[in-house]
Amino acid sequence: MSQGKRKDQNFAPFARRIAQPCGAAFATFVLAAAMVQSLPALAQSPQPAAAEAQEAYRLQPQDKLLIRVMTWDFRQNSMTGWEGLSGEYTISPEGNLHLPLTGSLSAVGLTQSDLADQLSDLLRRRAGLDDQPQLSVELVSSLPVYVLGAVEQRGAVPFHPGLTARQALALAGGIFRTPQSADIARGIMLSGEATAAADRLRWLKAEQARISSELAALEAGDTAPAPVAGAAPVGDVQSQLQDADRHARQVRLDSYNDLQTVLRERGERLQQQLALRDEQIAATRKELEDITSLNERGLAVNARVTSLSTSLNDLEAKRLELETAQLLLDEQLNQAERDSSTISTDAIADRLLRLSQLQSEISAAEIQERTARAQFTAMMDAATPQDAGTIAETDLTFVVTRGADRNEVSPEARLMPGDTLDILPPSVQANEE
């Protein structure tokens, strides 16, 4: 009995049962739905040529399946999933499938449709249902196929029903290409890497020579040494930045030198003012002593003594202000001298740090250049004259190992989960013979 007829028979009692409370119109609707569900089964009936050529996949151990069990919900008037039964299940290595209610079922060798029919019948009998539940089985994944031999990427490739030996070869990256045909692009890349590393190494060494020359000049007392001719490429951005840094350092040095000159000139004027105040204080003190002596003898008035005392006090206060200004000026001059010397100290420290960085970069560039050249040389040595050709698919032999059996197959042979496919080039075939 076909699947379409069986579905019609399953829905007929159900339609009669609900027709009584719901009326003839609803029964007609349900019968129409049953006919619509039977259409896919009719559409899947064997076709003259294509359907017969495409044999259904038969389940294998460790296949992972998605099983959906549908029942009719009378309250919602719709099909709903059966909670606790629908889900993913894996066929055991022994070939059994375990589901709630159905127990253990031998699934290996069945098609998905056969397994759905058996599970539906078991569920109907075990659960005491009047009609068989609607059930679908989908293949989620299977064991991979293991591809070895003359392929680009040996290892496991995913299996899908209908996978052929030729398709597995494509999934493994295609036919293995010999070093000469496969590594042309890599050889160009390695040669470019070696050239780039050599250019960078030359630039780093020139930079090292320039920094070393500037450091020697700074340690000798030249606060802003001129660039060394030929030490770095003309127009190089790094050289331009260093020229700008050198110019900025010279501007700062000139500014501090000008500030020190101004402060020293101001200090000289303060010294002159202090000397003048000392002379005024000495003259005023001498005059006050003379007037005091005359006043004691009654030859001078007290007002004159008081006036001279006030003038002396004012002169001494102004001299104290000048001394304070002199101290502040000396402190500013000392700070300017320290800042000026710090410029050179900082420049020396920067160049020492840069030399340390350059040494690390030079070592890395030397390693990169040696590695790239060694890889390029090894690749060229491996590209011997007999590697010049490229293997064609017609030269290959496809051998499938399935369990204990090992057989030569055609490129269009279908594979099974867990198969090992050996793709042998002509040289291996000759050795085996």
Side-chain angles (χ1 to χ4, degrees), residues 322-339:
L322 289 174
E323 287 181 346
T324 303
Q326 180 67 45
L327 290 174
L328 293 175
L329 186 64
D330 290 343
E331 182 179 354
Q332 292 176 354
L333 183 60
N334 291 334
Q335 184 64 43
E337 291 175 349
R338 287 195 299 270
D339 291 342

Side-chain angles (χ1 to χ4, degrees), residues 8-90:
D8 292 343
Q9 291 176 355
N10 291 339
F11 268 81
F14 173 72
R16 288 194 299 271
R17 191 162 59 248
I18 66 173
Q20 296 176 358
C22 299
F26 188 78
T28 303
F29 166 75
V30 174
L31 288 173
M35 295 176 65
V36 170
Q37 288 200 0
S38 68
L39 289 178
L42 295 175
Q44 293 174 1
S45 61
Q47 298 300 318
E52 292 180 357
Q54 185 71 22
E55 182 181 355
Y57 172 70
R58 296 192 176 275
L59 299 174
Q60 299 295 315
Q62 301 189 40
D63 280 354
K64 182 180 289 187
L65 306 175
L66 174 61
I67 298 178
R68 293 188 178 92
V69 183
M70 308 298 292
T71 58
W72 181 265
D73 189 340
F74 291 95
R75 291 172 297 180
Q76 300 293 333
N77 288 330
S78 63
M79 300 292 289
T80 60
W82 192 334
E83 296 291 338
L85 284 179
S86 298
E88 290 188 356
Y89 298 89
T90 302

Side-chain angles (χ1 to χ4, degrees), residues 2 57 89 122 262 298 388 397 431:
S2 68
Y57 172 70
Y89 298 89
L122 281 173
V262 171
T397 298
N431 291 336

Side-chain angles (χ1 to χ4, degrees), residues 29 41 125 175 183 185 205-206 251 309 313 331 362 380 404 411 418 423:
F29 166 75
R125 290 189 284 108
I175 302 172
D183 291 340
K205 289 183 176 180
V251 169
S309 297
N313 290 336
E331 182 179 354
I362 288 172
M380 294 302 294
I423 300 177

